[in-house]
Amino acid sequence: MRVGFVGLGNVGGKLSGSLLRNGIDLSVHDLNPELVAAFVARGAVAGGNPAAMMRDCDVVITCLPSPAASDAVMSEMLEEVGPDKIWLEMSTTDEAEVRRLGDAVQARGGAAVDCPVSGGCHRADSGNISIFAGCARPTFERVLPLLTTMGRRVLHTGDLGSASVLKVVTNYLATANLVSCAEALVVSKAAGMDLNVAYEAIRISSGTSFVHETESQVILNGSRDISFTMDLVAKDIGLFQQVADRAGVPLEISPKLIEIFADGIERFGSRELSPNIIRRLEEATGQDIRAPGFPAEMVDDEPEELGAEVIIVREG
């Protein structure tokens, strides 16, 4: 199976790296020719353009920064879609948009899957990230070997678009947790707590979380580097709000998070690292939320292993 990968950024570059590292016949494309050249040096083939990749590959994966970017790439690829072609959308995108584009792919005889990832860039780099997949079951079984090469845990979420809904749900929760962790750390420091002790107290308690155990560490280091920026957070929580609005759910926390990140972008710029949302409180209080002994970036220390489908079993 020949695979094309469009989008070699923070996440896409790591996911495509897992494919290449595990012997997949891989063609790549990105608007940045230096990223393409780096992959070619590692053994990939330069795909040329999205249309050529869809023509020459069995599967084309997109991992792009916005729904508009995915639409632009699909507009180039669509004429080359036909029977036995598969489009995997690994971007964090709007479920209505992925269904629209997927319907266009299916109308030409191809298959479409939305399969966003969750778990952080460090786990994408090691092949141990989690993957959601929304598509018909037969299509899921066709692409499962690729997904288990890129990820440790793969969950079939239902029809096309379902994975994108759940991805923005989980990103919303991560954002809410990031903001609450920032508040907890600033309050701890202002109340005279040692930040190393505060981190451990949260970690071993009911207040811990994946976000605390990863992003709080790079906050306390001072690097604030999780390879994710404020504009991407704003996009993701905006997509979550759109899902809620379409469903008629009157949310309270979500609009506040959108307001907080809009303010962060106005103050620090759209490409500021997302954990630096804590700077709003650091500046308001004069507190320096750093402590010794924490890493500058997160590294997955679990060995890479072939992933597997997550089977949901409920008793009763």
Side-chain angles (χ1 to χ4, degrees):
M1 178 182 287
R2 188 171 183 185
V3 178
F5 206 108
V6 181
L8 304 175
N10 282 335
V11 177
K14 295 173 175 62
L15 295 171
S16 52
S18 290
L19 293 173
L20 190 62
R21 185 171 62 250
N22 286 284
I24 300 298
D25 184 4
L26 187 69
S27 297
V28 295
H29 177 69
D30 193 276
L31 293 178
N32 183 341
E34 293 181 0
L35 295 178
V36 174
F39 267 82
V40 170
R42 293 164 58 188
V45 174
N49 59 64
M53 294 177 74
M54 182 59 78
R55 182 176 63 249
D56 298 338
C57 297
D58 303 295
V59 178
V60 176
I61 301 170
T62 50
C63 190
L64 299 162
S66 69
S70 292
D71 178 57
V73 167
M74 181 53 69
S75 69
E76 295 186 50
M77 295 194 301
L78 191 59
E79 288 299 315
E80 301 295 337
V81 172
D84 298 324
K85 299 289 186 178
I86 303 175
W87 170 51
L88 292 182
E89 171 62 293
M90 300 196 80
S91 316
T92 299
T93 190
D94 176 56
E95 51 97 7
E97 181 68 359
V98 79
R99 285 179 176 141
R100 182 184 72 82
L101 295 177
D103 286 346
V105 168
Q106 292 166 353
R108 296 185 61 86
V113 188
D114 65 317
C115 45
V117 301
S118 184
C121 284
H122 62 299
R123 289 188 175 175
D125 197 29
S126 64
N128 289 328
I129 203 161
S130 296
I131 303 177
F132 303 155
C135 58
R137 183 71 200 186
T139 301
F140 175 75
E141 291 174 358
R142 288 172 64 191
V143 301
L144 185 58
L146 286 178
L147 300 183
T148 54
T149 300
M150 292 184 283
R152 173 77 66 88
R153 300 170 184 86
V154 181
L155 178 65
H156 184 220
T157 57
D159 293 338
L160 181 70
S162 60
S164 290
V165 171
L166 292 170
K167 169 60 174 176
V168 297
V169 166
T170 59
N171 276 21
Y172 161 75
L173 290 169
T175 302
N177 202 186
L178 170 60
V179 171
S180 63
C181 283
E183 292 185 348
L185 291 172
V186 173
V187 169
S188 295
K189 179 67 179 292
M193 299 296 104
D194 178 288
L195 286 174
N196 277 281
V197 175
Y199 173 84
E200 287 301 318
I202 297 168
R203 188 186 68 82
I204 66 173
S205 74
S206 59
T208 198
S209 65
F210 175 83
V211 171
H212 175 64
E213 294 179 18
T214 55
E215 297 191 41
S216 288
Q217 293 205 59
V218 296
I219 285 174
L220 290 165
N221 171 273
S223 78
R224 288 42 192 307
D225 187 3
I226 60 162
S227 299
F228 208 71
T229 51
M230 289 190 184
D231 58 337
L232 296 176
V233 173
K235 180 202 74 173
D236 292 352
I237 58 179
L239 289 171
F240 174 77
Q241 184 65 52
Q242 290 174 26
V243 172
D245 290 343
R246 286 194 291 266
V249 182
L251 300 179
E252 298 176 272
I253 297 174
S254 174
K256 187 63 178 178
L257 291 176
I258 291 171
E259 177 186 323
I260 288 170
F261 271 88
D263 181 66
I265 288 170
E266 183 177 352
R267 293 180 187 219
F268 311 127
S270 62
R271 302 302 292 169
E272 178 62 89
L273 293 164
S274 57
N276 259 328
I277 200 68
I278 197 172
R279 286 178 58 191
R280 296 169 70 252
L281 288 175
E282 287 180 311
E283 291 179 358
T285 62
Q287 301 290 341
D288 180 10
I289 307 302
R290 288 182 292 179
F294 291 95
E297 61 181 11
M298 299 310 304
V299 176
D300 186 11
D301 57 6
E302 291 185 75
E304 180 178 7
E305 65 179 52
L306 185 66
E309 180 183 359
V310 175
I311 305 298
I312 299 174
V313 179
R314 296 286 184 268
E315 296 182 1

